[in-house]
Amino acid sequence: MTTIHYVRHGHNDWLGRGIAGRARGVHLSEQGKPDAERAAAYLLSFPIQAIYTSPLERAHETAEVIAAKHHMPVRIAPELNELDFGEWNGTLFDDLERDPR
């Protein structure tokens, strides 16, 4: 039987502030790096066969930390990308509150 472990990316500076979505340049924050380390340490007890990530920087950075612990490459899977929020990608919640839509 195949088991799939889904790991969301670590903390980034957009959390709670806005919709990062598919915006480029959103990286793990200083808090997000230890998040990724904890996920990697937890997953060491499982027989990981492959590591896939979305193309987002924050997801790729998280996957790289996990892959390093498992001595494996990271494979980019575009189908794992974040939802596309259109023009709202990279928009702060404060700005969205002024949008009548």
Side-chain angles (χ1 to χ4, degrees):
M1 178 171 78
T2 300
T3 300
I4 299 173
H5 301 274
Y6 288 97
V7 177
R8 183 140 172 96
H9 57 76
H11 186 276
N12 65 76
D13 290 332
W14 277 86
L15 288 178
R17 294 184 50 229
I19 299 174
R22 292 185 179 181
R24 300 246 181 247
V26 180
H27 298 275
L28 292 180
S29 66
E30 288 305 311
Q31 179 182 340
K33 294 170 187 172
D35 289 344
E37 290 288 342
R38 281 190 298 277
Y42 173 78
L43 290 170
L44 282 173
S45 62
F46 296 96
I48 305 297
Q49 300 295 313
I51 299 173
Y52 294 89
T53 183
S54 86
L56 295 174
E57 291 100 332
R58 60 194 183 268
H60 194 265
E61 291 164 357
T62 302
E64 285 289 343
V65 172
I66 295 167
K69 298 278 189 204
H70 288 273
H71 309 287
M72 302 179 78
V74 172
R75 301 175 192 179
I76 303 287
E79 58 273 19
L80 294 176
N81 205 350
E82 177 68 78
L83 291 172
D84 187 354
F85 291 96
E87 66 185 83
W88 288 352
N89 285 313
T91 303
L92 297 174
F93 292 142
D94 289 344
D95 295 333
L96 286 172
E97 284 189 29
R98 291 188 285 279
D99 188 327
R101 295 174 284 168

